[in-house]
Amino acid sequence: MRNRLRALVLAGVALVAAAAPLPPRPAAAATHPSGGGLTATIRYTEYGIPHIVAKDYPGLGFGEGWAQAADQACTLADGFAAGIPPDAPLGRHQFVVRNGKRIPVSGGTEGLGIWNKTEGRWDPAAGGYDEVITGSSYIQAVGFDGSRCPVARTLPTYSQSSGPSSAHYSDQTELYAAGRMVRERFCAKDIAAAPGLRVLHVRP
């Protein structure tokens, strides 16, 4: 039944694609106007690589979106077959599960022009991308305000511990989902002032 549904969805996408002015492959150029007056010319070279020319940045963005949409028809078909609408919130279908809790994950692939790299494992039975395979792991932003200590925010998106029983198994992953980072402490006085500071002396 699932294979039949997938076949029907793919057939529907193929019909829609056939009705749209898809660019010829591999080397011809085609100009695609939008309803909003944007225009871009896409030249496809070998291996289906699009080269986009437009008179302004909005047109360039439109051309990039058009080329990506044309190349991602199968991805849309997978989403339709899994019952995921195109306008569904990303975090509802791209997430990780930690101790039974679903944590939404932002980001996407560089092929979509997204800098925050995230590639998930596709599992339609789980409702989308249920685990991150690769992507942004350690994030750091550093600035200087004239003092002796840098001003920094950091975040390991996978959290500090890999042990499910640890209090730090998913705490920073949840910060990542909320768009927050951790204040990094470089100088000794900042470390000493950290809330809940715990000091461990290790000897051989």
Side-chain angles (χ1 to χ4, degrees):
M1 179 65 183
R2 183 177 298 171
N3 289 337
R4 183 179 180 186
L5 176 60
R6 179 182 171 89
L8 289 173
V9 171
L10 287 173
V13 171
L15 288 174
V16 172
L22 289 177
R25 301 293 179 98
T31 300
H32 305 287
S34 75
L38 301 176
T39 300
T41 299
I42 306 173
R43 293 178 173 86
Y44 285 87
T45 57
E46 64 272 27
Y47 303 104
I49 300 172
H51 299 263
I52 304 161
V53 178
K55 64 181 181 180
D56 51 30
Y57 284 115
L60 190 64
F62 165 70
E64 169 72 10
W66 200 100
Q68 291 296 336
D71 287 338
Q72 302 302 324
C74 289
T75 301
L76 289 173
D78 285 340
F80 289 140
I84 301 174
D87 59 348
L90 177 62
R92 187 179 297 169
H93 300 284
Q94 180 171 274
F95 53 88
V96 295
V97 179
R98 297 293 180 265
N99 287 333
K101 180 180 180 180
R102 285 173 56 148
I103 303 173
V105 175
S106 61
T109 67
E110 67 276 15
L112 297 175
I114 300 174
W115 287 9
N116 182 22
K117 167 75 173 178
T118 298
E119 247 180 82
R121 177 183 64 195
W122 174 249
D123 184 354
Y129 296 94
D130 68 339
E131 185 57 65
V132 175
I133 299 172
T134 184
S136 299
S137 54
Y138 175 74
I139 302 173
Q140 175 175 287
V142 181
F144 301 90
D145 60 1
S147 66
R148 294 174 60 87
C149 300
V151 179
R153 298 292 183 270
T154 63
L155 191 77
T157 61
Y158 44 80
S159 294
Q160 194 71 34
S161 174
S162 60
S165 62
S166 170
H168 305 297
Y169 176 55
S170 63
D171 53 354
Q172 293 192 69
T173 305
E174 294 192 38
L175 288 180
Y176 178 60
R180 297 168 56 196
M181 299 179 73
V182 175
R183 175 189 171 188
E184 189 54 81
R185 299 172 185 272
F186 279 95
C187 295
K189 65 180 181 62
D190 294 328
I191 295 173
L197 176 66
R198 184 169 61 95
V199 180
L200 179 66
H201 297 284
V202 181
R203 296 181 176 85

